Amino acid sequence: MRARTRLSLWAAGVAVFLLWSWAMMVAWSNSVAAFLVLGSVSDSTGEPLDGWSVTVANGSRWELAAETGADGDPGKYQIFQLDFGGNNAASSGDVLTVTFDGPDGESHTEERTLTEDDITSATIDVSHQTAAAPPAPTIDAIEPLTVKELGGETITVTGTNLEVGAVVVIGDIEVPLDVAGATDATAVLPALPVGTSGVIVRNPDDQEGPFSGVLTVEAALASDISGDGVVNIQDLVTVALEFGESGADLAGDVNGDGVVNIVDIVTIARDFGLSVVVAAPALAPVGDAHVVAAARTVVGSDTFSLDLSLRDVSSGIDNVGGYDVELAFDPSQLRLVGMDEGDMFGSSGVVFRQTHTDAEAAAGTARLLAVPLTDMASSGEGDVGTLRFHVIGSWDRALRSLRVVRADLADTQARHIRATLTPLVRDMRLTADGRTMAGQNYPNPFNPETWIPYQLTEDAEVTLRIYDAGGSMVRTLDLGRQPAGGHVGRDGAAYWDGSNETGEKVASGMYFYEFRAGAYSQVRRMVILK
């Protein structure tokens, strides 16, 4: 038995030797009938990799495959091609295509053109070393760590190895990242479930990096009925529209007890002004209105009344259903001493109103809010209210500090009305009742110019005629049609420069001026003293 085994091994060795010798002789003709392709696959550190499929093709003549490590030699492969019939396993100039396919989908292909030396040796070594894997991404910080469930907020992610196309995974929700660089990215959050969630970042090559902390998602305010991210007048009007109703699926049932009542109103009032989304998108307005503020006072007084009203409401709006107007002023120049509600909702039933606190007024803030709860009715425009102020310092500084800072308006269907804030109107009058009259000129005596204040109860054509002491007319000032109200300051009063109709300066002495406004006439005297 041992003799037969030794004989078989000897015969096999002789056969291989004869085959190899025959192949070498053929090599002199630049072709061989037997050709060996061998090599290895390793990672970037040189560690052998088993399980890779290696395919070798010589054009369309033949194609063979092997697997690295299959013969027990780690990372190695051998492919042996025999062609006794055609004596053409390989020739000088042939192009061998060698393809390496990894177990995880990796693939690498290279081509080798056979040289005469390759044919002489009847073998070629083709090996492959994989590239180093890119580093996994990391998250070092997320800002902010607490967000609201409605979505729309932007978070900033700081980390390393962030790639374009990466996503941040919050719980099981993928959110695209806007990657500014390898260390910085932002993401706009969708609606998220309330609670805490783990966060990971995932690059396009599926490499991941976990965040050591959690993202906290808080519940949005139930008071934000309109869903625009802020509790405002629209939400209050929505409750008012359904006030007193009961049943399921009522938008105004904030606390979900099946009835819209005072509890829902108080809930809205408690949360009023709170924002649940950073930079929440505003709902498109259905129309426009002007908020007019007029400071009305009497010459010589240290108090004035500020009248607030809505004017020029767009046609097509289903009337005004609620307003929330906030003012600011310098408390070192003005003190708020009183307030009267306007007649905007005078024909409505119950009206919910909210104003500033004493502490807010002392700090320089005033507020007027009103929404009808029953028999909702209003005109397209009307008076919001009147605030009464005491002037502590300079009139000019006091009025310059007074401004309307915000006006939220809604129609009777709880839709947004865009408010335009007009410049403050200064309505200084000669008398509290505002009757048509002319005041005493100032300065008096004067040289060479003076101003003549007046006030009108209604729009009128205004003319001033100036006479000397002998009754001769010196000058006519035709002011044209003037609006109702006070014309007291130098920018509104009638102005005379002390000259006659030909432009010559008149002499010192007593003069009279006749004030005419429509059918009204009044005469007063003045003195030029040079």
Side-chain angles (χ1 to χ4, degrees):
M1 181 67 179
R2 291 180 179 175
R4 286 199 299 272
T5 300
R6 286 196 295 269
L7 180 61
S8 298
L9 291 174
W10 178 82
V14 170
V16 171
F17 173 75
L18 291 175
L19 178 62
W20 185 256
S21 300
W22 175 71
M24 292 298 100
M25 288 188 295
V26 176
W28 291 101
S29 63
N30 289 329
S31 296
V32 289
F35 196 81
L36 177 64
V37 181
L38 52 81
S40 64
V41 177
S42 60
D43 64 15
S44 59
T45 66
E47 187 70 21
L49 297 176
D50 291 339
W52 279 63
S53 174
V54 184
T55 303
V56 180
N58 188 352
S60 61
R61 298 210 301 273
W62 56 268
E63 180 178 305
L64 295 173
E67 184 175 302
T68 59
D71 61 356
D73 199 354
K76 299 292 185 64
Y77 74 93
Q78 291 187 19
I79 293 177
F80 190 60
Q81 169 67 4
L82 292 174
D83 186 5
F84 287 113
N87 192 37
N88 193 15
S91 301
S92 177
D94 284 355
V95 178
L96 298 186
T97 302
V98 184
T99 303
F100 300 88
D101 293 312
D104 296 324
E106 310 95 319
S107 184
H108 171 74
T109 299
E110 58 181 276
E111 293 182 343
R112 292 290 185 89
T113 301
L114 299 180
T115 65
E116 292 184 1
D117 290 342
D118 296 329
I119 298 302
T120 300
S121 63
T123 184
I124 189 172
D125 185 312
V126 183
S127 297
H128 171 60
Q129 187 173 43
T130 62
T138 66
I139 302 178
D140 298 328
I142 295 177
E143 182 67 32
L145 281 173
T146 301
V147 296
K148 298 296 181 182
E149 65 176 323
L150 291 181
E153 291 184 73
T154 298
I155 61 170
T156 299
V157 177
T158 304
T160 60
N161 307 317
L162 303 177
E163 296 181 0
V164 174
V167 297
V168 62
V169 184
I170 303 170
D172 57 359
I173 299 175
E174 286 191 3
V175 183
L177 277 175
D178 183 4
V179 178
T183 60
D184 298 285
T186 58
V188 179
L189 299 181
L192 298 170
V194 175
T196 58
S197 297
V199 182
I200 65 171
V201 62
R202 178 184 299 142
N203 276 341
D205 61 2
D206 289 332
Q207 291 216 76
E208 298 179 347
F211 178 51
S212 59
V214 294
L215 185 70
T216 301
V217 181
E218 294 182 343
L221 290 170
S223 306
D224 179 25
I225 301 172
S226 65
D228 63 353
V230 62
V231 182
N232 57 18
I233 195 68
Q234 291 169 255
D235 306 304
L236 194 52
V237 172
T238 299
V239 175
L241 286 170
E242 298 176 346
F243 193 78
E245 295 184 24
S246 60
D249 301 323
L250 291 171
D253 183 16
V254 178
N255 66 345
D257 63 355
V259 61
V260 181
N261 54 21
I262 193 63
V263 175
D264 303 299
I265 288 289
V266 172
T267 302
I268 294 287
R270 178 200 64 197
D271 296 338
F272 208 86
L274 295 181
S275 175
V276 296
V277 175
V278 178
L283 301 180
V286 295
D288 298 272
H290 285 87
V291 179
V292 179
R296 171 172 46 87
T297 189
V298 177
V299 174
S301 173
D302 58 1
T303 63
F304 71 90
S305 298
L306 183 73
D307 299 324
L308 292 169
S309 60
L310 300 183
R311 297 288 183 264
D312 305 323
V313 179
S314 298
S315 60
I317 293 180
D318 189 21
N319 289 333
V320 177
Y323 58 77
D324 179 23
V325 181
E326 182 179 342
L327 300 93
F329 56 90
D330 184 350
S332 70
Q333 300 293 324
L334 289 171
R335 184 172 69 252
L336 182 60
V337 295
M339 181 186 69
D340 298 317
E341 298 288 350
D343 61 0
M344 189 81 181
F345 302 121
S347 59
S348 298
V350 178
V351 179
F352 174 80
R353 299 184 185 275
Q354 190 174 63
T355 63
H356 48 266
T357 64
D358 291 342
E360 288 172 335
T365 297
R367 183 181 183 189
L368 290 154
L369 179 151
V371 177
L373 301 182
T374 60
D375 303 323
M376 181 178 286
S378 76
S379 61
E381 58 183 37
D383 296 329
V384 172
T386 298
L387 301 171
R388 296 186 299 279
F389 290 92
H390 175 76
V391 179
I392 301 173
S394 155
W395 267 94
D396 284 341
R397 286 196 297 272
L399 291 181
R400 279 200 301 269
S401 78
L402 180 61
R403 62 200 183 279
V404 178
V405 295
R406 179 180 56 82
D408 291 333
L409 310 175
D411 71 355
T412 52
Q413 297 184 42
R415 297 175 300 181
H416 173 55
I417 300 174
R418 179 170 43 223
T420 300
L421 309 180
T422 61
L424 179 67
V425 177
R426 300 187 183 190
D427 183 12
M428 184 172 287
R429 303 183 180 185
L430 299 173
T431 60
D433 58 10
R435 67 182 185 277
T436 297
M437 63 173 293
Q440 184 62 54
N441 68 301
Y442 63 90
N444 187 46
F446 64 95
N447 178 32
E449 58 186 2
T450 191
W451 285 263
I452 302 171
Y454 63 93
Q455 65 186 24
L456 305 172
T457 56
E458 59 184 10
D459 297 357
E461 296 288 336
V462 177
T463 303
L464 280 159
R465 292 189 176 93
I466 300 171
Y467 301 88
D468 62 18
S472 298
M473 190 171 66
V474 174
R475 181 78 178 270
T476 298
L477 303 175
D478 188 355
L479 305 183
R481 191 164 188 81
Q482 296 296 314
H487 302 261
V488 178
R490 294 193 176 191
D491 56 348
Y495 169 73
W496 183 39
D497 62 0
S499 62
N500 58 22
E501 296 288 4
T502 62
E504 298 175 340
K505 296 297 182 181
V506 300
S508 297
M510 184 179 295
Y511 292 82
F512 298 89
Y513 56 91
E514 180 187 20
F515 170 76
R516 288 185 175 273
Y520 178 82
S521 178
Q522 179 186 359
V523 176
R524 302 193 72 146
R525 65 181 179 179
M526 56 185 171
V527 175
I528 295 180
L529 185 61
K530 297 185 177 180

